[in-house]
Amino acid sequence: MRLDRQRHVRIGRLGTFRFSTGAYVYVGSAWGPGGLTARLGRHLRPEKNCRWHIDYLRRYAAIIRIWVGRCRPHDEHLWADIIGSMDEAMIPARNFGSSDCRCPTHLFWLPGPPSIRRFNRVLIDHHCGKQRAHFWPGNR
């Protein structure tokens, strides 16, 4: 996602956080009813009730790219760890999207969009078999 100007945003019960201008990467999964299509459809819809942490930020941040991949149920934590280890990645809000796991966050700030090639190289280094991120159709 991209945020074009700094904002203070209340994220449900997590509290209010300052979000700087830049790129935001949110890592999530889509194991529920309707799968990936339903989950991304919700995230892409501009008007919705705020249910998830990401819904609050999406009021202000534009989705610029979506990466998807076929993963095992808990690989979202590995993906979050990889994004968080990228140079310049920072945690803008602790526990964002990760209140049901031990990850410090599933949301990361970077000065610009991350490289999918670099991300996939790190996945290979973690011996993740054929797992790779690719762009959601129409989202390059």
Side-chain angles (χ1 to χ4, degrees):
M1 295 174 286
R2 181 184 61 243
L3 194 60
D4 290 330
R5 68 180 182 96
Q6 177 180 304
R7 291 189 174 271
H8 287 83
V9 180
R10 178 153 185 82
I11 307 296
R13 287 184 259 163
L14 269 186
T16 301
F17 299 89
R18 182 179 67 85
F19 292 94
S20 300
T21 302
Y24 288 83
V25 176
Y26 173 69
V27 179
S29 62
W31 295 101
L36 188 61
T37 301
R39 182 62 54 96
L40 291 179
R42 178 180 173 73
H43 292 325
L44 291 167
R45 217 170 44 239
E47 299 296 324
K48 61 186 152 283
N49 291 327
C50 290
R51 178 179 178 188
W52 309 106
H53 294 153
I54 191 67
D55 295 338
Y56 295 92
L57 184 57
R58 273 286 294 126
R59 290 177 169 172
Y60 309 101
I63 293 177
I64 55 173
R65 288 191 191 106
I66 298 171
W67 298 357
V68 297
R70 293 191 182 275
C71 305
R72 298 168 302 227
H74 297 289
D75 282 347
E76 71 181 285
H77 312 297
L78 171 63
W79 283 41
D81 187 50
I82 291 170
I83 294 294
S85 70
M86 290 184 166
D87 295 339
E88 301 179 313
M90 294 178 19
I91 296 174
R94 290 194 69 76
N95 299 317
F96 189 108
S98 63
S99 54
D100 61 347
C101 69
R102 294 183 182 184
C103 297
T105 190
H106 279 201
L107 180 75
F108 302 91
W109 174 90
L110 294 122
S115 163
I116 196 169
R117 284 189 182 114
R118 180 173 170 221
F119 178 83
N120 282 331
R121 279 195 304 269
V122 176
L123 271 179
I124 292 166
D125 290 345
H126 277 83
H127 309 289
C128 292
K130 296 181 180 182
Q131 186 182 137
R132 300 286 180 278
H134 58 275
F135 291 106
W136 181 255
N139 235 241
R140 290 193 186 263

